[in-house]
Amino acid sequence: MNYTESLTRYTANFIDELARNGMTDVVISPGSRSTPLALVFREHPSIKEWIVIDERSAAFFALGLAKKSNRPVALVCTSGTAAANYYPAVVEAFYSRVPLLVLTADRPHELRQVGAPQAIEQIKMYGDYVKWFHEMATPEGTPPMLRYARQKAAQAFAFTEQGNKGPVQVNFPFREPLTPDFTLPDIWGAEKEKSTARINRMEGMKYLGEEQIQELTALFGSSRKGLLVCGPEMNVNFAERVCELAQVWNLPVLADPLSQLRTGEHDKTHVIEGYDAFLRDSEIRERLQPDYIIRFGAMPVSKAYLFYVKEHSHIPQFVVEENEGFRDPTGNDTAYIYADPRQLCSQLIEKAPDKLPTAAWLDEWLHYNQIAKNHLLSGEETQVTEGEAARGIAAVIPDQTTLYVGNSMAVRDVDSFFMVSSKAVSILCNRGANGIDGVISSAVGAAAAGQRVTLLIGDLSFFHDMNGLLAAKQYQLPITIVLVNNNGGGIFSFLPQANDKKHFEALFGTPVDLPFEKAGALYGAAYQVVSTERALKEQLEQSYQQSGLSIIEVKTDRDENAVWHREKWNRVMAEIKEGWQ
């Protein structure tokens, strides 16, 4: 067997095993050394390839696709700094628990550390940001080596999903010639050689024993003021169960916008979504002191909630993790419950004590929440504000679609102004590392999963990732981008740095003064600029009737935006406290 045949069969067996384990999508960054992987992926009948030229954009595209589809996505790149450009997305995937399989092509061992072009140190190049690393042997076509290729493919796929999902790197040293021979018979391997790794891999569900559940119910049942909190979470099936727990136990449930609790057909009568507005007041936080807190998912976006839990550090607080991890930045003496969240809710529902919290505790939260919603949803400015942009999206976004949200002010405005809805809308955001890079690409990748996407993004984040628009144009993916242009970093206007008038604009405001409509023209987008919330809604509805890429620009003023937000929050807190008199 010559080298080309060995290369072909070795690579084909690896990729076929990925398909047999459930891989359906690969994102390819074109290059030379990755030729065997790229061509074989394109030839495989069960895997859809997405070709994204820019590596950083490609990696975030894959991340968005994997996040939305909730299944592993493969990434392929050539050797050298191409793999380094994947690094930010790999970090985000690790912290946000998104399954990515990064397949990096490499120079063979004899071309390393000898000055060969595009030869950098790729061994474990992502460090602790991947769950598993493996360097493949150089290709051979013998039966033992083909079995080895399949075993490593199955292992790599499994590692992306086992426990907390996350990224995995497999490094492929390839010698030239690099072009596979697709005229060879049966390159995918004989049926009898194909493993059943996915069938044989069984994982059980983590759950608490009877004594542990009794211990928890005894604690919770003796308390009058419990609180459920749901942070960022991708399991939409969890929403119905935790809301049922809130009803049975007569508890309020604070729902982060990324928790998937605010949208869908489940009962939301106990859902509190306006808490960020009224927990900004220290007296209100003190008045709403709970007896215990149970949090599901990651830490909520709201900084006001962070203050709330820090100030009540003395009360029992529990964080539920499905597998492992310690996601609690408060520094509190937090207890961790490692169990399947849905199963835990079911056990607590079944063991609900006879004596439940009084309605007064729940009613107070619901009352404050309604006051917050009344103020946050009222009025319409002559010049659209950033909060109104989020509010406008919430009003008209279609059912069975996805809202992708940028970090900084965008996700905070969604937290404040996107209230509960019966629409089945997934709300996604890159909240692992909270970066503003790669957001367009992530949203476009989410659209590649087959559902229309609306992206709410600021101008600096848009500038960081304009390359991501190419994939939207290339594949005519259905995405509407609402670009909030305040000519800089709007979130810094809410921070103490805003008081430093000498250095603020250069270091924090960072205006870019770019005519973004030209970027829209470059990538063939339908482009509109709106000045009112009503006009935004009209343009959104029009964009939803169109295919491909639409960009709607909302121009705002950073200083006026900060004042408008504070006035809203102050009116909420003032009305609540007036009711105490």
Side-chain angles (χ1 to χ4, degrees):
M1 184 182 296
N2 62 33
Y3 177 73
T4 295
E5 182 175 355
S6 294
L7 172 73
T8 304
R9 296 191 182 281
Y10 182 86
T11 308
N13 273 264
F14 183 93
I15 289 173
D16 184 67
E17 188 62 37
L18 292 180
R20 287 178 57 80
N21 277 260
M23 184 72 71
T24 60
D25 294 90
V26 60
V27 181
I28 300 172
S29 307
S32 176
R33 190 61 54 166
S34 54
T35 295
L37 291 168
L39 289 180
V40 175
F41 264 120
R42 290 208 75 187
E43 284 290 316
H44 198 283
S46 301
I47 298 179
K48 165 69 176 175
E49 81 281 352
W50 305 89
I51 300 172
V52 181
I53 297 172
D54 177 74
E55 284 86 5
R56 188 174 76 162
S57 179
F60 277 106
F61 180 100
L63 182 138
L65 176 54
K67 184 187 286 280
K68 175 57 185 173
S69 64
N70 200 28
R71 61 177 183 261
V73 172
L75 264 170
V76 171
C77 71
T78 190
S79 63
T81 57
N85 281 302
Y86 283 171
Y87 211 114
V90 170
V91 171
E92 174 61 32
F94 178 79
Y95 283 115
S96 57
R97 300 178 177 178
V98 175
L100 288 184
L101 178 51
V102 184
L103 307 178
T104 52
D106 203 350
R107 264 31 184 184
H109 301 80
E110 67 270 17
L111 292 182
R112 299 177 188 175
Q113 301 180 2
V114 293
Q118 286 186 255
I120 69 171
E121 182 55 69
Q122 295 180 200
I123 305 300
K124 296 186 178 180
M125 71 177 303
Y126 304 116
D128 292 335
Y129 292 117
V130 292
K131 297 176 61 184
W132 186 65
F133 168 84
H134 181 72
E135 171 154 75
M136 296 292 289
T138 52
E140 295 181 30
T142 62
M145 290 303 289
L146 296 184
R147 287 196 297 271
Y148 157 80
R150 286 191 176 273
Q151 289 168 353
K152 293 308 172 187
Q155 288 176 10
F157 188 95
F159 271 115
T160 66
E161 292 192 307
Q162 284 180 350
N164 293 334
K165 296 180 180 181
V168 161
Q169 182 197 2
V170 179
N171 199 54
F172 283 82
F174 288 129
R175 294 189 178 95
E176 296 179 338
L178 299 168
T179 304
D181 181 2
F182 295 118
T183 67
L184 294 168
D186 194 27
I187 64 168
W188 308 115
E191 187 66 31
K192 64 181 180 180
E193 295 173 353
K194 296 181 180 180
S195 74
T196 53
R198 186 169 181 83
I199 297 172
N200 291 336
R201 197 179 86 235
M202 300 180 183
E203 293 186 53
M205 180 186 297
K206 285 187 177 180
Y207 63 93
L208 297 187
E210 185 69 21
E211 291 185 4
Q212 294 169 308
I213 290 294
Q214 289 179 354
E215 181 181 344
L216 289 177
T217 53
L219 170 63
F220 303 152
S222 63
S223 304
R224 297 171 58 85
K225 299 184 296 184
L227 186 64
L228 301 178
V229 177
C230 291
E233 170 63 57
M234 281 305 301
N235 189 347
V236 294
N237 297 323
F238 167 68
E240 182 177 357
R241 192 61 52 85
V242 75
C243 286
E244 183 182 355
L245 174 63
Q247 292 164 22
V248 171
W249 282 69
N250 208 29
L251 297 174
V253 52
L254 275 56
D256 183 271
L258 308 177
S259 67
Q260 317 310 320
L261 260 69
R262 295 192 188 183
T263 56
E265 295 183 352
H266 54 276
D267 191 317
K268 307 178 191 68
T269 53
H270 289 219
V271 168
I272 309 295
E273 73 269 54
Y275 58 90
D276 178 74
F278 57 81
L279 289 182
R280 292 173 178 272
D281 184 274
S282 59
E283 291 181 308
I284 296 175
R285 293 197 296 267
E286 180 60 31
R287 184 181 179 95
L288 291 174
Q289 176 175 312
D291 292 330
Y292 65 88
I293 297 173
I294 305 175
R295 171 163 65 81
F296 299 88
M299 192 69 179
V301 169
S302 170
K303 198 167 187 177
Y305 172 75
L306 179 64
F307 293 152
Y308 175 72
V309 292
K310 281 187 172 182
E311 290 170 8
H312 298 304
S313 61
H314 58 287
I315 63 105
Q317 298 184 33
F318 301 83
V319 172
V320 181
E321 291 280 8
E322 186 171 359
N323 293 292
E324 59 193 5
F326 300 95
R327 295 186 295 183
D328 186 16
T330 64
N332 293 348
D333 188 14
T334 302
Y336 288 86
I337 300 173
Y338 295 103
D340 179 86
R342 295 180 74 251
Q343 177 68 20
L344 177 64
C345 288
S346 296
Q347 290 179 288
L348 291 175
I349 290 169
E350 183 181 344
K351 299 295 183 180
D354 296 331
K355 185 178 179 181
L356 291 171
T358 62
W361 170 247
L362 172 63
D363 289 345
E364 187 169 18
W365 279 95
L366 292 173
H367 178 57
Y368 295 173
N369 192 55
Q370 190 58 53
I371 290 173
K373 292 171 69 171
N374 290 343
H375 286 284
L376 294 172
L377 298 179
S378 66
E380 183 174 338
E381 302 299 321
T382 55
Q383 176 65 39
V384 63
T385 66
E386 297 178 22
E388 286 178 317
R391 195 171 71 184
I393 292 172
V396 301
I397 191 170
D399 193 19
Q400 300 294 329
T401 64
T402 297
L403 172 61
Y404 220 103
V405 190
N407 277 305
S408 295
M409 277 308 299
V411 71
R412 287 166 175 82
D413 278 327
V414 169
D415 191 10
S416 294
F417 296 96
F418 197 110
M419 304 304 177
V420 294
S421 169
S422 61
K423 298 174 186 176
V425 175
S426 301
I427 306 179
L428 308 179
C429 181
N430 294 348
R431 290 299 289 178
N434 297 3
I436 67 169
D437 54 338
V439 176
I440 292 176
S441 298
S442 297
V444 174
Q451 195 174 78
R452 173 174 280 279
V453 169
T454 303
L455 169 63
L456 177 62
I457 190 171
D459 56 295
L460 287 185
S461 190
F462 187 94
F463 164 72
H464 264 271
D465 195 31
M466 286 190 290
N467 282 2
L469 297 172
L470 180 60
K473 174 181 181 292
Q474 181 179 354
Y475 292 105
Q476 283 297 294
L477 295 171
I479 180 168
T480 299
I481 298 177
V482 178
L483 166 58
V484 176
N485 184 3
N486 56 30
N487 200 24
I491 194 170
F492 290 103
S493 297
F494 293 84
L495 302 178
Q497 291 93 318
N499 297 320
D500 186 346
K501 302 303 180 184
K502 180 179 180 181
H503 301 293
F504 180 78
E505 278 299 287
L507 294 178
F508 306 105
T510 58
V512 293
D513 297 305
L514 290 176
F516 289 110
E517 67 274 9
K518 294 184 178 180
L522 180 64
Y523 293 102
Y527 201 97
Q528 299 291 333
V529 180
V530 298
S531 58
T532 67
E533 183 180 354
R534 185 170 305 175
L536 171 62
K537 292 178 184 178
E538 292 173 355
Q539 289 299 325
L540 281 168
E541 289 175 333
Q542 288 185 27
S543 77
Y544 296 144
Q545 304 305 314
Q546 302 169 357
S547 60
L549 172 64
S550 298
I551 302 175
I552 304 172
E553 183 177 354
V554 178
K555 293 185 177 181
T556 66
D557 180 274
R558 280 183 267 129
D559 293 335
E560 292 176 2
N561 179 62
V563 171
W564 183 84
H565 277 78
R566 289 192 178 103
E567 287 177 350
K568 285 278 188 185
W569 297 327
N570 289 338
R571 286 196 290 269
V572 170
M573 294 180 288
E575 182 175 343
I576 288 174
K577 294 168 79 170
E578 285 173 5
W580 298 349
Q581 299 173 0

